[in-house]
Amino acid sequence: METILNPEKSQWDLLCKRPVLEKDNLDLVVKEILERVKNEQDKALEYYSQKFDSCPSGNLKVPAEEIERSVELVPQDLKNALETAKKNIETFHAAQLKGVEKIETAEGVRCWSKNVAIEKVGLYIPGGSAPLFSTLLMLGIPAKLAGCKRIIVCTPPGQNGEISPVILYTARLTGISEIYRVGGAQAIAAMAYGTETIPAVYKIFGPGNQYVTKAKELVQLEGVAIDMPAGPSEVLVIADDSAAPEFVAADLLSQAEHGPDSQVVLLSNSNSLIQKVRNEIAEQLAVLPRKDIVSGALENSKSILLPSLDECISFSNCYAPEHLIINTENSNALSEKVINAGSVFLGAYSCESAGDYASGTNHTLPTNGYARMYSGLSTGSFMKRITFQEITRKGMAELGPVIEKMAESESLIGHRNAVSVRLKTLKND
Amino acid sequence: METILNPEKSQWDLLCKRPVLEKDNLDLVVKEILERVKNEQDKALEYYSQKFDSCPSGNLKVPAEEIERSVELVPQDLKNALETAKKNIETFHAAQLKGVEKIETAEGVRCWSKNVAIEKVGLYIPGGSAPLFSTLLMLGIPAKLAGCKRIIVCTPPGQNGEISPVILYTARLTGISEIYRVGGAQAIAAMAYGTETIPAVYKIFGPGNQYVTKAKELVQLEGVAIDMPAGPSEVLVIADDSAAPEFVAADLLSQAEHGPDSQVVLLSNSNSLIQKVRNEIAEQLAVLPRKDIVSGALENSKSILLPSLDECISFSNCYAPEHLIINTENSNALSEKVINAGSVFLGAYSCESAGDYASGTNHTLPTNGYARMYSGLSTGSFMKRITFQEITRKGMAELGPVIEKMAESESLIGHRNAVSVRLKTLKND
């Protein structure tokens, strides 16, 4: 972890840059997978499952009995934890459902908008070293609250061809029963194009490795929506002398364990705090099981001393972190100045893990500087907003001439005429 | 306009297909333009402006005096119309600004979200046969309401190198003063990469021809956000015997005049209404100035007879039209069943032109079936949603063990540890 003392503002842009991953070959590999799934459908999925996941071929769709069996296989204390997390996530995401408010923009002109669920959505849950059931909570709960009619899950099986019981249990808990044993770019292709077994969906959600991310990017060009562009996970911590160095160190390390390409940044107005955190990191790192991954991530990471906490916030807005922890005395006041961030954690006890699992906010957030223009996932991400308008005879009588004038000035005489034929009938009123 | 009587449900998907435009060459041409602007910046913009717009080279940025001069050049009746439209659009879009509501998801766990403006946005206003100042209202008003700090406009100049005074006046009316004389794919490239004169922005909005659309699609892959994918404009009208055939005909024709690739669909439960509308179209078409464009669009268009109005709504949900006009006796009740549409117009007097210009709703809407998963533009499109959370000692004491359990089950021991170090300090409470 490099320490940088009071960098010039002209250096900030460079300090905010994320490492760029090599992409050229990726593009070709993923295009080939997409093409093959489009043409050969289920057969291609079987082929890639055996090639990449080295799992036995078998039924793509997880049978209901297998999902039910998970109830016995998941330990009770984890079930209880999942229940609590679900309740909190549900509470926060249910509050995002909006009622319809009709607005009279002018006399006789009523306009409103209504959020309507996207009918078919696909959730991708990565496999890898551990089953990421928390991601299924974060995608499944808002999809259900939104009212999506068909929600499918794709997730890669383990070497034995089985999907972790915790994933199956979490799906069951959120009310999802359509689960397919397929991962990687081929799973994204299946959800985009449809196969004999897997239905095509309108929007695809969920994180994944470079192949999955590239596949989502490519199918988006073919008319499927995706949740957001993705990059490696990241945290930026702003801390002052009031912060406990062991809390700050633990927060930085928790992010670093995601992968060697994770980004971890510490900003402070106190060099002494930075030094104490570095010492704590060394100590805590020694006992972490994922030491190699964490050390890799720390190599890309930076501690930066800045003249004031206000400058720390300015730097953070320039960086636009996925997760921002403000562990300072006046964290609430400082947070008012946040412009670019995915999710913000305030005060000593709001660690990022809380948002990752159970506080209620969503953990699917914009990385790689995308927080400048993208939002994290919400219930609204599973819906689209339709506008409505209803104009009375009186409304048309008032507004009609305005529309006629504007349409005519844009040389759209057909548009003007749609009003004129109506105004003509109103003359008899 | 083809008439189809009671098609089988199995035919619906085919009937809902939009014509696919040839794309291969487009891709190469646009990629070359993007590359050149990225490398040569302003010089490339000058080159393309002379090549495609055959306009004299000159200052890219429109000077303040030129914008001010528009006040004298735009006729007073059009100014009045613009004022009224602005008021209505502002009223509807201001209602979309949300306050912050803090939610306690569990004791001591407070979560909330806040919408924050995207700092830099670029609005593209096409040139072409007529100045589309209404699009500038539809993009500029929500951008201003959202509070975007830097709002720039790119629009192609006419052959004389000048931008229409109505465009300049509308910019001034919405409070926008940074206007650049450049159009086409090169304008999109300039806003995505930045040049010596034009700043790079975080999100690009606005309609355009195939080149503009392709350029937006490509720069999106390089980290700039765009409003939505685009295709030719379209309307679907559902009408029954209660509808005035001349209104329906005028609505279909108004959409058809956008371009020969526009899509126009009429659904009805009455064959007699369909016939009357066809006769009216022939009559009204005769006096429209854009007769050739309209005739071209009508060739791709369809009138479809279906057994009931409920079936009409089902077909419309399958088609997912950009604009949906429900001109029937029970339009309000029917509208409750709309699942996929951009904007809906209810009753005899709610013509699409009203929403295009002045009712208050936005006219930037998803085309080409994208209404299945995309929303039209709103004030929220110019903002991103940041989530916040604040957990007290008490909140951590309660929630901490849940997080520990879940993190451990995902084999993320660093995540667990961020909670454990905190719980340890609480033991002394």
Side-chain angles (χ1 to χ4, degrees):
Chain A
M1 200 175 191
E2 192 189 354
T3 300
I4 300 147
L5 304 177
N6 290 311
E8 295 286 322
K9 280 229 166 161
S10 56
Q11 275 183 270
W12 284 19
D13 273 345
L14 196 68
L15 288 170
C16 288
K17 277 226 159 51
R18 275 69 157 183
V20 178
L21 301 165
E22 200 46 69
K23 277 191 169 184
D24 282 357
N25 188 37
L26 186 67
D27 208 80
L28 286 176
V29 173
V30 174
K31 275 185 180 156
E32 195 189 308
I33 296 173
L34 296 184
E35 203 54 32
R36 190 152 176 172
V37 174
K38 198 189 258 179
N39 295 329
E40 301 180 18
Q41 307 187 50
D42 282 351
K43 201 180 135 212
L45 298 183
E46 288 272 341
Y47 168 78
Y48 286 120
S49 284
Q50 292 195 32
K51 183 172 174 186
F52 295 133
D53 299 324
S54 56
C55 80
S57 75
N59 286 334
L60 269 169
K61 187 166 179 181
V62 179
E65 311 82 71
E66 196 175 329
I67 299 174
E68 274 313 298
R69 213 180 310 139
S70 69
V71 178
E72 282 150 43
L73 297 172
V74 176
Q76 191 57 45
D77 53 353
L78 180 54
K79 282 191 208 168
N80 295 344
L82 286 168
E83 285 283 359
T84 304
K86 178 175 181 254
K87 180 191 75 61
N88 292 353
I89 298 166
E90 229 163 39
T91 302
F92 188 63
H93 287 76
Q96 294 159 14
L97 289 164
K98 304 264 176 292
V100 171
E101 192 200 348
K102 299 195 179 182
I103 290 159
E104 197 163 42
T105 55
E107 207 189 327
V109 182
R110 283 197 310 166
C111 302
W112 64 98
S113 62
K114 190 167 116 181
N115 288 326
V116 180
I118 298 172
E119 290 173 286
K120 300 183 216 173
V121 297
L123 317 182
Y124 183 76
I125 308 297
S129 46
L132 296 180
F133 55 85
S134 63
T135 298
L136 189 45
L137 284 180
M138 294 295 176
L139 303 179
I141 292 172
K144 271 286 167 187
L145 282 170
C148 300
K149 275 189 216 148
R150 192 158 191 186
I151 305 170
I152 70 169
V153 168
C154 284
T155 190
Q159 296 237 342
N160 56 359
E162 304 236 328
I163 290 170
S164 153
V166 203
I167 294 282
L168 298 179
Y169 181 80
T170 308
R172 190 182 173 280
L173 186 66
T174 53
I176 295 171
S177 56
E178 199 172 343
I179 306 168
Y180 298 97
R181 248 182 275 270
V182 59
Q186 59 273 24
I188 303 302
M191 293 193 276
Y193 310 132
T195 71
E196 296 93 339
T197 307
I198 301 180
V201 299
Y202 297 151
K203 191 169 180 178
I204 298 173
F205 298 80
N209 61 21
Q210 279 186 279
Y211 295 91
V212 169
T213 301
K214 174 54 80 178
K216 284 170 67 184
E217 200 179 289
L218 291 174
V219 297
Q220 187 183 19
L221 297 179
E222 297 185 63
V224 183
I226 63 170
D227 47 359
M228 71 187 85
S233 195
E234 56 198 28
V235 72
L236 186 148
V237 181
I238 299 176
D240 63 9
D241 275 325
S242 77
E246 78 226 272
F247 290 9
V248 177
D251 289 342
L252 295 170
L253 288 169
S254 79
Q255 186 57 38
E257 82 178 332
H258 273 299
D261 53 0
S262 289
Q263 286 279 303
V264 169
V265 180
L266 169 62
L267 305 181
S268 182
N269 59 350
S270 158
N271 203 2
S272 120
L273 186 272
I274 289 177
Q275 293 315 315
K276 284 180 202 156
V277 170
R278 292 179 68 97
N279 295 340
E280 266 292 333
I281 285 178
E283 225 166 280
Q284 292 184 23
L285 176 59
V287 297
L288 281 184
R290 295 196 180 200
K291 214 175 302 175
D292 290 351
I293 291 177
V294 176
S295 303
L298 289 176
E299 271 172 37
N300 301 322
S301 299
K302 299 174 187 75
S303 315
I304 304 177
L305 178 72
L306 289 164
S308 68
L309 290 175
D310 271 349
E311 289 283 288
C312 291
I313 290 282
S314 295
F315 186 96
S316 172
N317 282 332
C318 181
Y319 186 87
E322 180 191 13
H323 304 99
L324 167 60
I325 299 176
I326 308 182
N327 190 346
T328 63
E329 222 155 5
N330 58 346
S331 60
N332 249 298
L334 270 183
S335 78
E336 295 287 330
K337 296 173 186 162
V338 173
I339 297 174
N340 298 320
S343 194
V344 186
F345 301 76
L346 299 177
Y349 286 88
S350 308
C351 56
E352 190 208 305
S353 323
D356 286 340
Y357 290 110
S359 65
T361 60
N362 207 290
H363 80 194
T364 308
L365 298 164
T367 54
N368 203 23
Y370 285 116
R372 291 184 195 101
M373 61 289 217
Y374 287 94
S375 312
L377 223 63
S378 67
T379 310
S381 310
F382 293 86
M383 310 179 92
K384 69 263 172 181
R385 196 178 149 276
I386 305 177
T387 53
F388 292 82
Q389 53 228 287
E390 190 171 25
I391 302 175
T392 62
R393 294 166 70 91
K394 175 91 167 72
M396 179 48 72
E398 291 287 324
L399 199 59
V402 168
I403 302 166
E404 286 187 308
K405 184 75 222 164
M406 290 174 75
E408 184 191 303
S409 304
E410 285 192 350
S411 306
L412 292 173
I413 303 307
H415 283 60
R416 185 188 66 184
N417 200 42
V419 172
S420 307
V421 295
R422 287 169 166 92
L423 288 181
K424 228 182 289 167
T425 67
L426 295 179
K427 290 223 174 100
N428 311 326
D429 277 17
Chain B
M1 201 174 189
E2 193 189 352
T3 300
I4 300 148
L5 304 179
N6 290 312
E8 295 287 322
K9 279 230 167 158
S10 57
Q11 275 184 272
W12 283 19
D13 272 345
L14 195 70
L15 287 171
C16 288
K17 277 227 159 49
R18 276 67 157 183
V20 177
L21 301 164
E22 200 46 69
K23 276 191 168 182
D24 282 357
N25 188 36
L26 186 67
D27 208 81
L28 286 176
V29 173
V30 173
K31 274 185 180 156
E32 194 188 309
I33 295 173
L34 295 184
E35 204 52 33
R36 190 152 175 172
V37 174
K38 197 189 257 181
N39 295 329
E40 301 180 17
Q41 304 187 52
D42 282 352
K43 203 181 133 211
L45 298 183
E46 289 271 341
Y47 168 78
Y48 286 120
S49 284
Q50 291 194 33
K51 183 172 172 186
F52 295 133
D53 299 324
S54 56
C55 81
S57 75
N59 286 331
L60 268 170
K61 188 169 176 176
V62 178
E65 311 83 71
E66 196 175 327
I67 300 175
E68 275 315 297
R69 214 180 308 140
S70 70
V71 179
E72 283 150 43
L73 296 173
V74 175
Q76 192 56 45
D77 53 355
L78 179 54
K79 282 192 209 169
N80 295 344
L82 285 167
E83 285 284 357
T84 303
K86 178 176 181 255
K87 179 192 75 60
N88 292 353
I89 298 166
E90 230 164 38
T91 302
F92 187 63
H93 287 76
Q96 295 160 12
L97 289 164
K98 303 266 178 291
V100 171
E101 191 202 348
K102 299 194 179 181
I103 290 160
E104 200 163 40
T105 55
E107 206 189 329
V109 182
R110 282 197 310 166
C111 301
W112 64 99
S113 62
K114 190 166 116 181
N115 288 326
V116 179
I118 299 172
E119 289 174 287
K120 300 183 215 173
V121 297
L123 317 182
Y124 183 76
I125 308 297
S129 47
L132 295 181
F133 55 83
S134 63
T135 297
L136 189 45
L137 284 180
M138 294 294 176
L139 303 178
I141 291 170
K144 271 286 168 185
L145 282 171
C148 300
K149 277 190 211 141
R150 193 159 190 185
I151 305 169
I152 71 169
V153 169
C154 285
T155 189
Q159 296 240 339
N160 56 0
E162 304 235 326
I163 290 171
S164 152
V166 203
I167 293 284
L168 299 179
Y169 181 80
T170 308
R172 189 182 174 280
L173 185 67
T174 54
I176 295 171
S177 56
E178 200 172 342
I179 305 167
Y180 298 97
R181 247 183 274 270
V182 60
Q186 59 272 26
I188 303 302
M191 293 194 275
Y193 309 131
T195 72
E196 295 93 339
T197 306
I198 300 179
V201 299
Y202 298 151
K203 190 169 181 180
I204 299 173
F205 297 81
N209 60 21
Q210 279 187 277
Y211 294 90
V212 168
T213 300
K214 174 53 81 177
K216 284 171 67 184
E217 199 179 289
L218 290 172
V219 298
Q220 186 183 21
L221 297 179
E222 298 185 63
V224 182
I226 64 170
D227 47 2
M228 70 187 85
S233 195
E234 57 199 25
V235 72
L236 187 149
V237 180
I238 298 177
D240 63 9
D241 274 325
S242 78
E246 78 226 272
F247 290 8
V248 177
D251 289 341
L252 295 170
L253 288 169
S254 80
Q255 187 57 39
E257 80 177 335
H258 273 300
D261 51 2
S262 290
Q263 285 279 305
V264 169
V265 180
L266 169 63
L267 304 181
S268 182
N269 59 350
S270 157
N271 203 3
S272 118
L273 186 272
I274 290 179
Q275 293 316 316
K276 283 180 202 156
V277 170
R278 293 179 68 97
N279 295 340
E280 266 294 329
I281 285 178
E283 224 167 280
Q284 291 185 24
L285 177 60
V287 297
L288 280 185
R290 296 195 179 201
K291 215 174 305 176
D292 289 352
I293 293 178
V294 176
S295 302
L298 290 178
E299 272 171 37
N300 301 323
S301 300
K302 299 173 187 75
S303 315
I304 303 177
L305 178 73
L306 290 165
S308 68
L309 289 176
D310 272 347
E311 288 284 287
C312 290
I313 289 282
S314 295
F315 186 97
S316 172
N317 283 332
C318 181
Y319 186 86
E322 179 191 14
H323 304 99
L324 168 60
I325 299 177
I326 307 182
N327 189 347
T328 63
E329 224 157 3
N330 57 347
S331 59
N332 250 297
L334 271 183
S335 78
E336 295 288 329
K337 297 173 185 162
V338 173
I339 297 173
N340 299 319
S343 194
V344 186
F345 301 76
L346 300 178
Y349 287 89
S350 307
C351 55
E352 189 209 304
S353 323
D356 286 341
Y357 290 111
S359 64
T361 60
N362 207 290
H363 80 195
T364 309
L365 297 164
T367 54
N368 205 23
Y370 285 117
R372 290 183 196 102
M373 60 292 216
Y374 288 94
S375 311
L377 223 63
S378 67
T379 310
S381 310
F382 293 86
M383 310 179 92
K384 69 263 172 181
R385 195 177 150 279
I386 305 177
T387 53
F388 293 81
Q389 54 227 288
E390 191 171 23
I391 302 175
T392 62
R393 294 166 69 90
K394 175 90 167 76
M396 179 49 71
E398 290 287 324
L399 198 58
V402 168
I403 303 165
E404 285 186 310
K405 185 75 221 163
M406 290 175 74
E408 187 190 301
S409 305
E410 285 192 350
S411 305
L412 293 172
I413 303 307
H415 283 61
R416 185 189 66 183
N417 200 41
V419 171
S420 307
V421 295
R422 286 169 165 93
L423 287 181
K424 227 182 292 167
T425 67
L426 294 179
K427 291 225 174 100
N428 310 324
D429 277 17

